[in-house]
Amino acid sequence: TGENMKKWILLILAIILFGVFSIVRSCQRSSREIVNVYTDKEIEYFIGKFAKKFERNESKIEVRINNLKNISDYDIIITDEKESVKNLKKEFKSKDLFKDELVVIGRRKIENISQVANSTIAMPNYKTNIGKTGLDILAKVEGFQEMAKKIQYKDDVMSALESVDLYEVDYAFVTSKILPLAKNSEICYIFPENIGRSQILYKAYINLESNKNPKRFYNFMEEELTDKTQNKPKSEKNKVIKTN
């Protein structure tokens, strides 16, 4: 009937319009300038949220995270590890971006860090900045010698989180920005605010030789962090890193 014919025509038009819209969106995205960002594994999800919000507001730039092999080729590097940027082959400007907090997660809350003495603990190994920070804290706890026998050292914070989530250990030392990824554990202990040694500083390294505009995304993150925390660390004097 004529009524059915109209419905079919409208459906076909809707499909065509949807197809055209999808092609246009795809073309717009493919024509975007790509800014490549490196992050440590534990903050990939955290920085990824900023990237998605930035792309919603910015039609000309696409942010890709941990998509390259050579760290020197990134437009922005965000890390708490000095070793990661030790041998960069390009010139980068470093700036303090944000501080994270070391916390203890598991399934049983504790009132004092010494209460983990009789429990198994996972933490990143001492070669990592986060692992060194956690171990330095534990080393000052009474009964550390016995406690040290029950520590399981992991490659990174992600592995420590997975270990406590899989019930392999009772507790894990992790950073707070990774908590959204925890499935079977929760915060059991937060270090007092006056303990500065539990803080982890993440720095951003901006590629000065990049032919793109990484500063735009950096400025966006800085503004978002300032708005959310109102506790942005005082930036050190900007440094320029250049290695051969």
Side-chain angles (χ1 to χ4, degrees):
T1 64
E3 190 66 29
N4 286 334
M5 183 63 72
K6 286 181 181 179
K7 288 181 180 179
W8 276 107
I9 291 172
L10 288 173
L11 179 60
I12 292 169
L13 285 173
I15 293 171
I16 292 172
L17 287 172
F18 179 77
V20 171
F21 178 75
S22 299
I23 292 171
V24 170
R25 285 292 299 272
S26 177
C27 290
Q28 286 177 338
R29 188 166 182 81
S30 63
S31 64
R32 282 179 168 184
E33 177 180 273
I34 296 172
V35 171
N36 282 294
V37 178
Y38 170 88
T39 74
D40 293 339
K41 287 182 180 179
E42 71 272 11
I43 57 168
E44 186 173 339
Y45 174 80
F46 178 67
I47 299 300
K49 291 194 296 183
F50 289 132
K52 289 177 182 176
K53 186 173 182 179
F54 176 77
E55 288 179 344
R56 287 198 296 268
N57 300 329
E58 178 58 66
S59 61
K60 295 182 180 179
I61 300 177
E62 177 186 350
V63 178
R64 293 185 182 175
I65 298 177
N66 293 344
N67 204 45
L68 304 178
K69 291 182 179 179
N70 191 335
I71 195 168
S72 290
D73 292 335
Y74 282 95
D75 303 300
I76 300 176
I77 299 168
I78 305 172
T79 181
D80 76 303
E81 294 286 350
K82 291 181 180 179
E83 288 296 315
S84 299
V85 294
K86 190 176 180 180
N87 298 311
L88 293 175
K89 293 181 172 60
K90 294 179 182 177
E91 198 171 356
F92 287 77
K93 178 189 289 185
S94 71
K95 303 186 80 172
D96 294 353
L97 185 57
F98 69 93
K99 284 182 180 178
D100 201 356
E101 296 290 338
L102 197 64
V103 297
V104 181
I105 64 171
R107 280 161 291 279
R108 188 172 67 253
K109 291 189 180 298
I110 55 177
E111 296 179 0
N112 190 294
I113 192 61
S114 62
Q115 289 179 279
V116 303
N118 297 317
S119 305
T120 49
I121 309 161
M123 67 166 57
N125 65 65
Y126 195 77
K127 293 180 180 179
T128 66
N129 184 41
I130 296 172
K132 182 180 183 302
T133 302
L135 201 58
D136 285 350
I137 291 173
L138 285 183
K140 295 177 175 63
V141 177
E142 187 177 346
F144 171 71
Q145 295 301 325
E146 287 301 312
M147 193 184 303
K149 298 175 183 178
K150 298 184 179 181
I151 296 176
Q152 295 183 17
Y153 295 103
K154 306 296 179 179
D155 291 337
D156 50 38
V157 185
M158 289 291 292
S159 299
L161 176 73
E162 289 169 1
S163 186
V164 75
D165 262 354
L166 292 171
Y167 299 90
E168 294 173 349
V169 293
D170 300 312
Y171 295 104
F173 275 55
V174 302
T175 44
S176 65
K177 296 295 186 292
I178 203 177
L179 292 175
L181 301 180
K183 297 176 182 178
N184 300 314
S185 49
E186 60 182 3
I187 295 178
C188 295
Y189 183 76
I190 298 175
F191 295 96
E193 289 184 7
N194 61 347
I195 301 182
R197 65 174 182 266
S198 67
Q199 294 184 332
I200 305 295
L201 174 63
Y202 286 89
K203 298 174 76 74
Y205 299 83
I206 303 168
N207 190 339
L208 299 179
E209 297 180 24
S210 173
N211 58 2
K212 302 169 188 175
N213 192 6
K215 195 73 163 56
R216 204 163 185 170
F217 180 53
Y218 172 82
N219 289 341
F220 174 81
M221 287 191 293
E222 193 175 52
E223 289 171 9
E224 287 286 306
L225 287 162
T226 302
D227 290 341
K228 287 182 178 181
T229 65
Q230 294 299 318
N231 190 31
K232 182 177 175 292
K234 293 180 181 179
S235 295
E236 297 177 356
K237 184 177 180 181
N238 292 344
K239 300 175 184 176
V240 172
I241 295 179
K242 190 173 185 180
T243 56
N244 296 322

